[in-house]
Amino acid sequence: MKIKFGASLLSWITPLWNAEAGHYAIKKTAQTGFDMIEILLPNSMDFDAKTVKKQLQENNLDVACSLNLPKEAHIPFYPKEALTLICKALDKTAALDAVFLGGVLHGGIGVFTGNPITDNEKEIITEVWQEAALYAQKLGITIGIEPINRYESYCCNTAENVLELIKKTSTANLAVHLDTFHMNIEESNFYDPILNCGKLLKHMHITESNRGMPGEGTVNWSELFKALKKIDFEGNLVLENFSSDVPGMQQAVSLWQKSPHNAEELAKGSLNFLKQHLKD
């Protein structure tokens, strides 16, 4: 397995990007011993890629990018706006010399119709993905789609939901981006979804059921690592666990319970946990 260990920007700072906080997150990620950082791009795209690229080089870090569509870019309602935003994110990703853009790219987080996704909505999403994938192909970028739980979206909740729509697009550079927090809510287990994705699984958010230290919640880690070995996973394992000691994090991600670990303990402990499980 060829794996890169990463930390999300959110391991260190709130989702609201600013240059100073971003530089801090890059330095902390490198100092803690990760191979890469995942940068959640701001919806405003107010992001100085040239400066960030230099900071990454100075800290010897690889990078992947992500984007979470906002309500005003919910694909079934606003396909043109969504495609424009995704293409802007792809431009920023390319400017960092990154080759992966992941995230919630099926619908705006927090948008609901009160009903399950319709066939017409699936067609609209598929068309936007096709256009985005063609644009990404010219830039040498793979797009990873992240299913999230039912309380945040109705479009794609499971790996199977994403795989169904990817198959409809007939494009080679769309992939799956799984997240153990959402899998713990929506999937029957941690083994079958990974096997079903196979080589289409390129990126994973690693976090415990309570967003804390891996091994201190209900995620079945042995099942998950068994599946990763079975598919000979080649991609990124990126920590996306949160600590309430980061100012503003509780409000940003509804982390109402106080974390038993600070951000640095969480990052170091989680990285050790991942490496130990892969070694075993």
Side-chain angles (χ1 to χ4, degrees):
M1 294 194 293
K2 293 177 184 174
I3 290 173
K4 286 182 181 174
F5 297 106
S8 166
L9 197 70
L10 307 186
S11 298
W12 310 106
I13 65 171
T14 65
L16 298 172
W17 170 269
N18 71 68
E20 186 181 354
H23 191 202
Y24 169 79
I26 288 168
K27 287 189 289 186
K28 291 299 289 183
T29 299
Q31 288 165 7
T32 312
F34 291 94
D35 306 312
M36 61 171 292
I37 187 169
E38 180 193 314
I39 294 179
L40 176 62
L41 294 168
N43 293 323
S44 65
M45 293 300 148
D46 181 13
F47 179 83
D48 181 0
K50 187 177 177 183
T51 299
V52 173
K53 182 180 172 182
K54 187 166 178 279
Q55 292 166 353
L56 291 164
Q57 289 169 340
E58 287 167 356
N59 287 276
N60 197 29
L61 270 187
D62 284 336
V63 63
C65 293
S66 57
L67 173 71
N68 294 334
L69 293 177
K71 293 179 180 181
E72 57 271 21
H74 181 61
I75 296 180
F77 299 169
Y78 311 111
K80 288 180 183 174
E81 290 82 354
L83 181 59
T84 298
L85 186 58
I86 294 169
C87 288
K88 284 180 180 177
L90 288 165
D91 287 337
K92 294 291 185 184
T93 303
L96 291 176
D97 287 343
V99 295
F100 183 87
L101 174 72
V104 182
L105 300 171
H106 43 83
I109 295 179
V111 180
F112 295 95
T113 62
N115 290 298
I117 190 170
T118 65
D119 288 339
N120 181 245
E121 287 176 320
K122 288 180 182 180
E123 288 303 317
I124 295 168
I125 292 169
T126 301
E127 286 168 14
V128 168
W129 285 5
Q130 281 176 319
E131 291 288 325
L134 286 172
Y135 190 76
Q137 210 162 30
K138 294 171 188 170
L139 300 170
I141 295 170
T142 296
I143 298 174
I145 312 293
E146 179 185 7
I148 60 173
N149 70 75
R150 69 190 73 186
Y151 307 109
E152 296 183 63
S153 177
Y154 70 99
C155 293
C156 289
N157 303 133
T158 66
E160 189 52 47
N161 293 158
V162 174
L163 289 170
E164 178 197 346
L165 296 187
I166 285 178
K167 283 170 190 165
K168 288 177 184 289
T169 66
S170 304
T171 52
N173 61 324
L174 283 177
V176 185
H177 165 183
L178 292 180
D179 182 312
T180 55
F181 176 80
H182 300 293
M183 290 177 77
N184 191 59
I185 297 170
E186 296 296 343
E187 305 286 5
S188 301
N189 59 63
F190 289 87
Y191 186 79
D192 294 324
I194 290 172
L195 248 61
N196 291 339
C197 290
K199 291 300 179 185
L200 283 180
L201 179 61
K202 300 292 185 190
H203 195 86
M204 284 201 75
H205 279 165
I206 300 293
T207 184
E208 193 44 271
S209 56
N210 58 4
R211 292 290 194 188
M213 189 74 78
E216 295 182 359
T218 60
V219 170
N220 189 329
W221 294 106
S222 58
E223 202 174 59
L224 180 130
F225 284 105
K226 185 180 172 186
L228 290 177
K229 287 174 184 173
K230 182 80 173 173
I231 67 167
D232 193 21
F233 176 69
E234 294 184 348
N236 310 318
L237 296 181
V238 175
L239 294 178
E240 198 192 43
N241 39 16
F242 311 134
S243 173
S244 56
D245 85 318
V246 176
M249 186 61 81
Q250 288 184 289
Q251 295 80 1
V253 298
S254 303
L255 194 67
W256 308 128
Q257 307 306 312
K258 184 171 170 53
S259 304
H261 306 284
N262 67 35
E264 189 148 350
E265 288 168 354
L266 204 50
K268 285 181 177 175
S270 300
L271 181 57
N272 288 337
F273 179 89
L274 286 180
K275 288 184 173 178
Q276 190 60 50
H277 264 269
L278 283 167
K279 198 168 81 173
D280 294 343

